Every structure is written in structure tokens, then in C-alpha cells.
Amino acid sequence: MATSVMKAKNKNLLRVEEIRRDFPILFRQVNGKELVYFDSAATAQKPQQVIDSIKKYYEFDNANIHRGVHRLSQDATVAYEEARITVQKFLNTKSAHEIIFTKGTTDSINLVASSFGKKYIKAGDEIIISEMEHHSNILPWQMLCEEKNAVLKVIPINEKGELVLEEYKKLLTDKTKIVAVTHVSNTLGTVNPVKEIIELAHSKNIPVLLDGAQAVPHMSVDVQDLDCDFYCFSGHKLYGPTGVGVLYGKEKWLNDLPPYQVGGGVIKTVTFAKTVYADLPLKFEAGTPHIEGGIGMAAGIDYINKVGLDVIAIYEHELLEYATDKLSRIPGLKIIGMAKEKASVISFVIEGLHPLDIGTILDQQGIAVRTGHHCTQPLMDHFETPGTVRASFAFYNTREEIDKLEAGIMKAIKMLK
């Protein structure tokens, strides 16, 4: 095992500069400095291969899909449905029609909350989420609870930023109708023990939705192995375009749930008396979809598959360890979230300094980080801070860039104190 890991490390380290050449934006300057991009958790940069796939669609294949008999429509339909198969293989779903294309993670969660809630949630029922959820996995369930007079329950976290599973077990009752948790925290980087979470829920016949937006760029995800009922992610965090994403659902659930939106494309027959809806996946894909987005997302998946998610995971973990060591040495800096299992995200605060001020000074040095509450205000409340500075790393980043981050933070401290 150690030998294979070393080979993977060496292979990836040798290719980093080659990989960087695939990302045109990494060679632009910001404020007269070479760009250092540490905001991939918000959106990842795009390789030329993804950019070219979108350009090719508009230059050669632009047409609406599924119903046209002319050649352009047929070619566009083939490309779009091949993209669905690419996603199916990426997640290892049983069939391609378990893949629903959406606008992104937020849209996917809203789809499930709306359709599942419409059919299964009534007054007094309970829904479980966690304290580290992104607002996108809080608000849809909160709204559903308000509409149905249901109860939202929250799995607490410890001071390391890990879920307290003993408390989760206590929350599971006969009234629990669904559990919705993040696979990887966008703020803390915590990798949650989702397989155990799913097994505990399933022991009481409770379905589980996983927000995989921060997981799929960093690790292999096998939904059949996890046995989750729903899984969702966004294309733009996976080196693809914005405005497109995925909802995976087990076929039994997708067949059972009512459509989320209705209109063109979701029907078999329509009369003024009765409508018969289309089979999966079209049942949940009303209107003209983000065709070039789906194609571009598949190109992003093809790209990371070529690099290798196992290699990506090893290299990004090296970056995380290196950055954690460097930043931990800075006087007054505190890292928020020190879970044993982490993805390549570091959130931190510096005593006496506002995150926005730190981020602004780093930007002046060409270093892009995220500042604020990261759409996790309840999590910020837990750690009693209004916000943090977040540096999120991808496989196109380098140790030298982390050295620049360290120097940039030191400069910010000197200027602000």
C-alpha cells in the first residue's frame, strides 16, 4: 500500500505544472500579481477541455433536444444523453435514468424537499439535518416544516467540527421521515461518516439525502456502495460550467415522487382533462435544459477521471497537511474545524482582525480566498464568530502558492495590527 501511495504521489507531483497549463485563468494577473486561486470550494476553475466542449457545442451542434428530427437536434440529444451516462458511471448508479439534470445542488435539494414533502410529510413529522449544513440544505427543509407543521431536528457537532453520532442516534424516531446531511462540509472540510449515518437511518426505514457538492471534486463516490437514497452535486465545483448539476435518486423513489416542475418535456400525453407524465428521467426535467452545461459537466468529469481521483485525493491531502502546518505557526491564527477526516479546506480566524480585511489585503497580493459565513451561519454561531477566512485547495494548487498565502497573511497582520 505504501509503495502504491508513493507512486501516486510522485506521479501527481510530476504532473502539477502540466495540469496547471490546462487552466488558462491561472496565468492571469490580479493587481499586478500572478493569481493564486484558493476559492475552489466556491467554484473550481475550468480546464481548456471543458471550455472547448462548450465552444464546440455552440459552433457545431446547437439545437434543442429530444424532440427534433433534424440532424442538429439528434446530435445535440446524443451528446446530452452521453453526458448523463458519464455521470452515471461517475457515481456508479444502477441506470442512467436515475440521473436527473438540475440547475445545481440547491435546485436538487429543493426538488426532493418539494416532491418528497408533498407526498410524505405531515404535521408532527420530523426531518433531520446537521449543524454544519450549507443554507441550501437548511432552508428547503425549514420551509417544508413551516408549511407542513413538521419538526426540524439538528445533529450537533463537537469542537473539532465532527458530528456527534451518539446524539444522531437519539434523534432517529418513528416520526423521522428523511435525513439530509452534507457529505463534506464546505466550511470545515469535515468528511462525515455518511455510510454509518445511512445504515442507522435505514435500520428504521428512513431515506437519506446527501449533499455531495464538496465531496465529488475530492474523492470517488459510489452511491450503490453508500446505499444513499438521494445524492446531489453541482457541475461548477467539479470543473464544469455553472448553472447545471445532478440529482441521483433510487429508481423506486423517483418513480414514486410527483414532478417538481411541469411543462414541456415532462409529459407523455396532455389533455385538458388529464396529463400522463413521462418516464424517468424526463419526468423531472421540465423545459429546455442547460444542454451545453450538461455536456461541459461531463467534460469536467472526463478530465478528473483522466487525472485520477485517487491521485487527486492524495495530492490534495498533502496540500492540506502542508498548509495546516504553515498556518498553525502564525501567531494569533486559529483554524476552525480540525476533524480527523478532512477535505482540502482550511477556515481560520485571526485574533483582533476581521476576515473581510484579511481577504482584501490578500486580494491586493493576487491571492483569492473566501471570507464571511460561507452560507453556514448556524455553524458560525456554534463557533461564536461572525465569519472566517477560507482557503480551499484543488489539485492545480502548489506548495509555493501556500507559501505565498502564509506570507500574505503575515503582511495582513502587520498592516492591520
Side-chain angles (χ1 to χ4, degrees), residues 168-417:
Y168 167 60
K169 293 174 186 177
K170 295 175 186 176
L171 293 177
L172 292 166
T173 73
D174 292 339
K175 293 183 179 180
T176 308
K177 297 304 178 185
I178 191 167
V179 175
V181 295
T182 186
H183 193 164
V184 174
S185 167
N186 71 302
T187 298
L188 306 175
T190 303
V191 180
N192 284 321
V194 292
K195 198 163 186 180
E196 186 175 357
I197 289 169
I198 293 164
E199 287 172 354
L200 288 166
H202 283 181
S203 70
K204 295 181 177 292
N205 296 315
I206 301 164
V208 178
L209 175 144
L210 296 181
D211 172 356
Q214 300 293 337
V216 290
H218 305 295
M219 62 187 71
S220 296
V221 173
D222 183 332
V223 295
Q224 291 192 71
D225 179 60
L226 291 174
D227 197 29
C228 56
D229 299 274
F230 303 98
Y231 197 96
C232 50
F233 66 85
S234 299
H236 70 99
K237 298 183 193 297
L238 196 60
Y239 308 96
T242 58
V244 67
V246 165
L247 170 67
Y248 155 76
K250 287 182 177 176
E251 185 173 359
K252 66 175 184 178
W253 285 113
L254 295 178
N255 278 329
D256 193 50
L257 295 180
Y260 171 48
Q261 297 175 321
V262 292
V266 303
I267 58 90
K268 284 184 177 178
T269 60
V270 174
T271 70
F272 289 116
K274 175 73 175 175
T275 293
V276 178
Y277 292 105
D279 296 329
L280 298 175
L282 298 183
K283 173 184 174 182
F284 291 101
E285 294 183 357
T288 298
H290 187 7
I291 303 168
E292 74 280 17
I295 294 168
M297 179 169 60
I301 291 172
D302 287 340
Y303 184 86
I304 64 169
N305 282 339
K306 183 178 178 182
V307 176
L309 270 167
D310 55 342
V311 174
I312 288 171
I314 291 167
Y315 180 67
E316 289 180 346
H317 185 69
E318 285 184 328
L319 290 178
L320 176 65
E321 288 186 325
Y322 185 76
T324 301
D325 180 64
K326 283 277 185 177
L327 270 57
S328 296
R329 297 172 187 268
I330 298 175
L333 187 148
K334 179 184 178 182
I335 295 175
I336 305 296
M338 293 293 287
K340 184 178 179 181
E341 299 293 331
K342 277 190 69 171
S344 52
V345 173
I346 296 179
S347 284
F348 64 89
V349 294
I350 298 176
E351 186 179 357
L353 302 185
H354 197 286
L356 178 61
D357 295 333
I358 300 167
T360 300
I361 292 173
L362 289 174
D363 179 61
Q364 291 170 0
Q365 300 169 72
I367 303 169
V369 295
R370 180 70 43 156
T371 64
H373 53 67
H374 317 300
C375 292
T376 55
Q377 284 184 311
L379 186 60
M380 296 296 104
D381 291 342
H382 175 93
F383 287 104
E384 299 180 341
T385 179
T388 70
V389 180
R390 184 185 71 187
S392 50
F393 313 117
F395 62 93
Y396 45 57
N397 291 126
T398 66
R399 291 189 176 205
E400 291 75 20
E401 290 181 315
I402 292 170
D403 292 340
K404 290 181 181 180
L405 174 63
E406 178 194 27
I409 294 169
M410 295 298 292
K411 183 176 181 178
I413 293 171
K414 186 176 180 180
M415 291 176 66
L416 294 169
K417 283 198 171 182

